[in-house]
Amino acid sequence: MRISALNIYPLKSARGIPLSQSPFTWEGLPGDRRAMFVHASGQFITQRELPSIARITALQSGSGLRLSTDTDGEILALPSTERMDVVVWKSTVNAAVAPDEINTVLSGWMGTELKLVFFDEASTRIASEEWAGDETPVTFADGYQILVTTTASLAALNENMAANGEDGIGMDRFRPNIVLDTDEPWAEDRWAALDINGIRFDLVKPCARCIMTTQDQLTGSREGASPMKAMGRLRMSADRRVPGPLFGWNVTPRGEGQIAVGDTATIIESRNDGWAIKKRG
């Protein structure tokens, strides 16, 4: 089993950036989800409420980001000395804020008032200890350090969609960091841990999916194909701890190293019973 794709998302909810190789740390892949949009209150903003964030390409540039869209041009956004507390789900993080003039431009692009904030060296956040264990650091990701998906599971989902007269979708709808090339769909439900280049990666929690999977990841449009019905047919969780349709697993690395497309991932620990999925029909 090999890695077929690596991606980071420098701006939370913006376009993914493919990589051929990357270091990884206890926080995940460097540069992943280290900036995000927030309301004036500090509450985080994603494609869930603002689909047009999908139009933004964000590339790392020193301590900041070079941001662009296909129609609005390009700006360089660097953190200012201003800081504010921001909220990502149940976490509060002290973050650096972009200058007012940058936030004004970005608010114009998005058609709503917002601020760009940065997870910098002074920012700290810990993933859920219930699932990931003690003191595992994470940035602005929804909850965990790395999201893993598999090619066989996407193929099975698309086959179900085709059988029901629905158009297929690409892996980008699920915004993974690591894509593994596999033969058996949903086998990842039985994996407890992987070894990649001598480092253990624990599969700590399946990923419940939301409306973002229905959105084109270049435009934000919700007019095209949607995997939600197919996930409802195939992948509804029967475990109330993680309700809803599932696709992919949240993963916590237990060390630091290098990772590249083509690297081998080996299953080193399994769950005998997998994850409980509701039976349909």
Side-chain angles (χ1 to χ4, degrees), residues 149-150 153-154 157 171 174 186 207 209 231 245-249:
T149 61
T150 68
S153 295
L154 179 64
L157 189 69
M171 191 68 86
F174 300 102
W186 323 122
C207 187
R209 310 313 306 213
M231 288 192 292
L246 307 178
F247 193 96
W249 274 79

Side-chain angles (χ1 to χ4, degrees), residues 127-204:
S128 168
E129 293 187 356
E130 176 186 0
W131 293 97
D134 295 338
E135 297 294 313
T136 62
V138 65
T139 58
F140 286 143
D142 271 359
Y144 301 90
Q145 294 82 358
I146 291 172
L147 181 68
V148 170
T149 61
T150 68
T151 58
S153 295
L154 179 64
L157 189 69
N158 278 325
E159 286 171 11
N160 183 272
M161 293 173 73
N164 286 274
E166 300 161 3
D167 292 335
I169 58 167
M171 191 68 86
D172 62 337
R173 294 291 187 93
F174 300 102
R175 301 177 65 80
N177 295 112
I178 298 174
V179 181
L180 295 175
D181 190 10
T182 55
D183 296 322
E184 181 187 350
W186 323 122
E188 58 269 30
D189 286 352
R190 300 192 303 274
W191 305 341
L194 301 173
D195 179 281
I196 304 175
N197 293 339
I199 301 296
R200 180 185 177 101
F201 290 74
D202 284 338
L203 284 78
V204 297

Side-chain angles (χ1 to χ4, degrees), residues 222-243:
R222 295 175 182 169
E223 298 301 317
S226 167
M228 292 299 285
K229 289 182 179 179
M231 288 192 292
R233 292 186 291 263
L234 296 174
R235 296 292 296 164
M236 289 299 294
S237 175
D239 188 326
R240 67 182 62 186
R241 295 175 301 164
V242 188

Side-chain angles (χ1 to χ4, degrees), residues 2 17 41 51 65 71 133 142 152 170 192-193 199 203 212 228 235 257:
R2 295 187 181 276
I17 306 300
S41 65
L65 293 175
T71 58
D142 271 359
I199 301 296
L203 284 78
M212 281 179 62
M228 292 299 285
R235 296 292 296 164

